Amino acid sequence: MSGAIVMNPAPTTHPALLAWVAEMQALCRPERVVWCDGSEAENEALLRQAVAQGDLEPLDPQRWPGCYSARSAENDVARTENLTYICTRLRRDAGPLNNWMDPAEAYRKLGGWLDGAMRGRTMYVVPFVMGIPGSAFAKVGVQLTDSLYVVLNMRIMTRMGSVALRELGGSGSFTRGVHARADLSLERRAICHFPEDNTIWSVGSNYGGNVLLGKKCLALRIASWLGRHEGWMAEHMLIMGVEDPRGQVSYLAAAFPSQCGKTNLAMLVPPPALSGYKVWTVGDDIAWLRPGPDGRLYALNPEAGIFGVAPGTSHLTNPNAMAAVRRNTIFTNVLRTDDGGVWWEGMGTPPPLAGTDWRGRRWTPGSGVKGAHPNSRFTAPARQCPSISPEWEDPAGVPLSAIVFGGRRARLEPLVYQARDWRHGVYVGATMASETTAAATGQVGVVRRDPMAMLPFCGYDMGDYLRHWLDMGGRLSRPPAIFHVNWFRQDAQGRYLWPGYGDNLRVLNWILARAEGRVAGRQTPVGTVPETGELDLEGTSIDQRTLRSGLLDIDPDEWRAELDDQAAWLERIGPTLPPELRQEHRAAVERFGRRD
Ligand code: GTP
Ligand code: SPV
Ligand code: MN
């Protein structure tokens, strides 16, 4: 054995858990092992220690009670998709769109990096629940990590500590997560998922989705694999309720790629002209979906916190997020002001005269660089969000009236359209595309296809995943209606045509009216769009003509080219592509008629 000093006794007798912790301790050789209980006292002690060792800086306790800021390494500010692997015995099970590594090779390679990686450090044992403890919608994970920053973020993002050991009991199954910061070099960084072993190993990063293993790694990649086998779905979706002036609440879920507006939509504040409405936030990033006994699809947010994008978040764009981050929040890679506050581009307040930027350098508005990193984030407890839904912890989830797909497209995609039926909706999701953002390393602003916003998060073969979507539709007698939206269409000068944010409620209201059969819409070859007058524009500077000719316009030539590109994309999904989706493509081509 390693000779590590175990600081507190293991609060479990779960044999497989104890054996695995001992095994990983022998590999990583930490100086200490600390089992986390998730208590308030423990949190306070860990926060004090994080400040003492320089991982966190406290903000001004008067204005920002319980808030801290952190900076990550300059080469470690976003998910590294090129270093993220699905490690299945057969390459075919990961599919052509995932990076694949043979499990034996991955264990050997990362095992080499983990060997002694925690020498002189503390290994924290972090048990956590994704979903609602005690319900069918709960999965237990245990993350071993040598990063206090990760422990403190996991405490906000998940239901962490004793609650998870209770959920696990003496013999329950759990996802085994190992995380070590190691040397933070790109040469020795990898995030490996072993769905066949219910295991995740992440080495060489300390940032967000790479290391908060409950989030993208468990609640999406591993959970999507489990969902396929267990008859449910794990999706990169927000969940929200829209309450109309009569007090009727309808729920919808929306899949947009990273940094494409999920958090903002989920926390929407109605514009003055729609002040009789109220939006309830159920979740802002991940949804677990299950058919209910009534044939509807039910959605649950497995997370307990919000890991939200800071830049662009202001009192005007997202007042609910601004209220949520006023206390007990960890800010990562934002600008720190000299008076113990934080600032980011698009915060809606003038920049401070001087401060410390996300790189830790002195900054002034004239520095010529951004004060906050474009992927800087806040980690806040979801219950602090003023719009949090009273149903957000209902273990049954909420019944969905609509599913919405969307992304950033400067051209082509109209503001909104409805798919013809579930199968066509799956086609729309399978072929959706968006301009890339700073949430992942690599080029920003290039259009890429991102099925259901799950390209970086699907834990298995994409063709099998789309098959699962089609099959799930067959199990729903009252499936949600499926839509596609685009808040980001631009004019020739590069200005957004649609005001976005609170005004997106106008689109949601049309979506719900369609889902409930209250409006007829207008048929186009792409799908059903709002008929003139159906989308309420009162109180905006947009008139019905501009809506029709600018925002809802469908250009047949551009769409024919798009359909050619979609055909090429379907080929890339490979031999497991469900033939139904090829039929949907043919039908779409026919609806546009022949080119001449
Ligand atoms: P992840 O956490 O990366 O999964 O992102 P997300 O989908 O939750 O995106 P988020 O809501 O954080 O929005 C990302 C960026 O898009 C922010 O800078 C927002 O201000 C901006 N944004 C969100 N909604 C709108 C909109 O309706 N219109 C415009 N123009 N920008 C928006
Ligand atoms: C995303 O990139 O979609 C996020 C942030 O929600 S991260 O947790 O870093 O993946
Ligand atoms: Mn996300």
Side-chain angles (χ1 to χ4, degrees):
M1 275 287 303
S2 62
I5 312 153
V6 176
M7 294 296 281
N8 53 359
T12 176
T13 54
H14 192 296
L17 174 54
L18 290 172
W20 169 69
V21 171
E23 187 195 338
M24 291 302 116
Q25 187 183 331
L27 175 64
C28 303
R29 278 173 280 155
E31 190 176 316
R32 280 181 299 279
V33 177
V34 171
W35 288 74
C36 294
D37 63 14
S39 66
E40 196 48 53
E42 172 186 88
N43 190 45
E44 275 162 28
L46 293 179
L47 283 166
R48 267 197 305 278
Q49 193 183 332
V51 171
Q53 67 193 46
D55 291 343
L56 295 182
E57 281 181 74
L59 301 190
D60 170 18
Q62 245 67 54
R63 286 181 301 140
W64 299 94
C67 293
Y68 298 81
S69 68
R71 275 188 286 272
S72 63
E74 269 188 56
N75 71 356
D76 191 27
V77 293
R79 285 181 293 101
T80 39
E81 292 178 2
N82 55 322
L83 302 176
T84 300
Y85 297 87
I86 303 298
C87 307
T88 45
R89 277 189 300 270
L90 299 179
R91 182 174 203 144
R92 176 242 167 263
D93 291 334
L97 301 179
N98 274 311
N99 298 315
W100 175 83
M101 212 189 296
D102 176 71
E105 185 197 336
Y107 283 129
R108 201 176 325 112
K109 185 167 171 178
L110 275 68
W113 299 341
L114 286 172
D115 191 350
M118 296 187 187
R119 247 193 228 107
R121 302 175 62 81
T122 301
M123 180 170 94
Y124 296 93
V125 184
V126 183
F128 61 94
V129 182
M130 302 311 290
I132 307 300
S135 79
F137 257 133
K139 294 287 175 195
V140 175
V142 181
Q143 175 165 357
L144 309 179
T145 178
D146 62 347
S147 164
L148 250 183
Y149 170 86
V150 166
V151 176
L152 292 164
N153 276 272
M154 285 292 285
R155 187 174 188 278
I156 299 173
M157 295 306 297
T158 72
R159 295 169 176 90
M160 183 269 250
S162 316
V163 61
L165 293 182
R166 270 199 302 281
E167 183 74 17
L168 189 58
S171 60
S173 71
F174 63 99
T175 304
R176 299 149 201 255
V178 180
H179 165 245
R181 289 168 42 110
D183 63 3
L184 296 179
S185 83
L186 283 162
E187 285 68 45
R188 281 172 296 283
R189 179 180 303 168
I191 301 96
C192 289
H193 304 71
F194 306 88
E196 289 149 339
D197 304 343
N198 203 359
T199 294
I200 306 156
W201 281 15
S202 169
V203 185
S205 172
N206 199 39
Y207 189 83
N210 286 340
V211 300
L212 307 178
L213 299 187
K215 194 173 176 58
K216 301 299 159 102
C217 301
L218 194 166
L220 286 179
R221 298 194 191 95
I222 296 286
S224 63
W225 171 285
L226 294 173
R228 178 184 179 216
H229 295 280
E230 297 169 2
W232 55 284
M233 304 153 93
E235 300 296 333
H236 193 202
M237 290 180 178
L238 68 92
I239 312 164
M240 67 195 290
V242 178
E243 181 175 338
D244 70 16
R246 293 167 304 150
Q248 174 86 26
V249 185
S250 306
Y251 293 96
L252 37 88
F256 310 154
S258 302
Q259 289 210 6
C260 290
K262 290 182 299 302
T263 303
N264 279 267
L265 192 67
M267 298 181 186
L268 183 153
V269 175
L274 298 178
S275 60
Y277 289 82
K278 164 98 185 105
V279 162
W280 297 104
T281 309
V282 179
D284 84 313
D285 196 51
I286 298 178
W288 285 357
L289 309 177
R290 261 172 215 266
D294 57 358
R296 304 185 75 183
L297 188 62
Y298 282 74
L300 180 135
N301 169 16
E303 302 190 278
I306 305 157
F307 186 59
V309 178
T313 305
S314 76
H315 287 289
L316 281 179
T317 58
N318 194 346
N320 283 315
M322 291 304 280
V325 305
R326 286 317 292 208
R327 55 206 156 92
N328 310 320
T329 295
I330 298 173
F331 295 92
T332 302
N333 293 338
V334 299
L335 178 115
R336 222 190 126 83
T337 62
D338 290 346
D339 60 356
V342 286
W343 185 85
W344 50 79
E345 282 72 16
M347 194 187 197
T349 53
L353 296 178
T356 309
D357 72 11
W358 67 273
R359 292 185 170 89
R361 301 198 190 134
R362 287 303 293 164
W363 184 92
T364 66
S367 290
V369 295
K370 288 202 155 56
H373 187 274
N375 193 35
S376 55
R377 301 249 168 187
F378 51 81
T379 318
R383 71 185 129 75
Q384 289 184 187
C385 178
S387 58
I388 196 78
S389 163
E391 315 296 329
W392 86 287
E393 299 189 284
D394 186 333
V398 294
L400 295 180
S401 299
I403 286 178
V404 184
F405 296 123
R408 289 178 182 265
R409 295 300 294 272
R411 302 170 59 80
L412 188 83
E413 289 285 3
L415 179 64
V416 58
Y417 67 89
Q418 181 182 8
R420 302 160 74 85
D421 52 23
W422 183 270
R423 199 178 94 162
H424 180 230
V426 173
Y427 179 82
V428 169
T431 53
M432 68 189 251
S434 189
E435 291 144 22
T436 51
T437 65
T441 55
Q443 232 184 318
V444 168
V446 293
V447 175
R448 78 165 177 182
R449 304 249 168 231
D450 186 349
M452 281 79 173
M454 283 288 281
L455 182 70
F457 307 119
C458 187
Y460 60 102
D461 173 65
M462 190 59 75
D464 290 342
Y465 167 82
L466 296 171
R467 171 87 267 151
H468 186 48
W469 260 85
L470 291 170
D471 292 347
M472 291 296 292
R475 294 178 45 194
L476 302 169
S477 56
R478 298 162 69 195
I482 301 183
F483 297 81
H484 187 280
V485 300
N486 177 23
W487 316 139
F488 299 94
R489 199 150 157 172
Q490 295 177 9
D491 64 13
Q493 283 73 46
R495 286 176 303 226
Y496 290 125
L497 286 165
W498 179 247
Y501 300 104
D503 286 306
N504 293 336
L505 179 57
R506 300 167 188 281
V507 177
L508 300 184
N509 281 344
W510 181 81
I511 284 175
L512 291 170
R514 272 300 297 163
E516 290 157 12
R518 289 185 273 116
V519 293
R522 173 166 60 90
Q523 307 300 316
T524 79
V526 169
T528 305
V529 302
E531 182 53 278
T532 302
E534 282 180 1
L535 204 145
D536 180 2
L537 294 173
E538 195 200 314
T540 69
S541 57
I542 297 167
D543 57 37
Q544 294 287 343
R545 252 192 59 224
T546 317
L547 176 69
R548 187 167 179 139
S549 63
L551 278 156
L552 295 175
D553 172 53
I554 287 159
D555 181 312
D557 288 333
E558 277 188 59
W559 270 93
R560 286 194 189 97
E562 166 72 11
L563 285 167
D564 287 346
D565 199 62
Q566 290 182 2
W569 170 247
L570 296 181
E571 292 313 310
R572 284 194 52 199
I573 294 174
T576 54
L577 177 81
E580 292 94 320
L581 298 182
R582 216 168 258 125
Q583 286 166 27
E584 285 294 335
H585 178 262
R586 270 197 299 276
V589 171
E590 271 163 33
R591 287 197 295 274
F592 272 104
R594 294 196 20 189
R595 217 176 295 234
D596 45 26

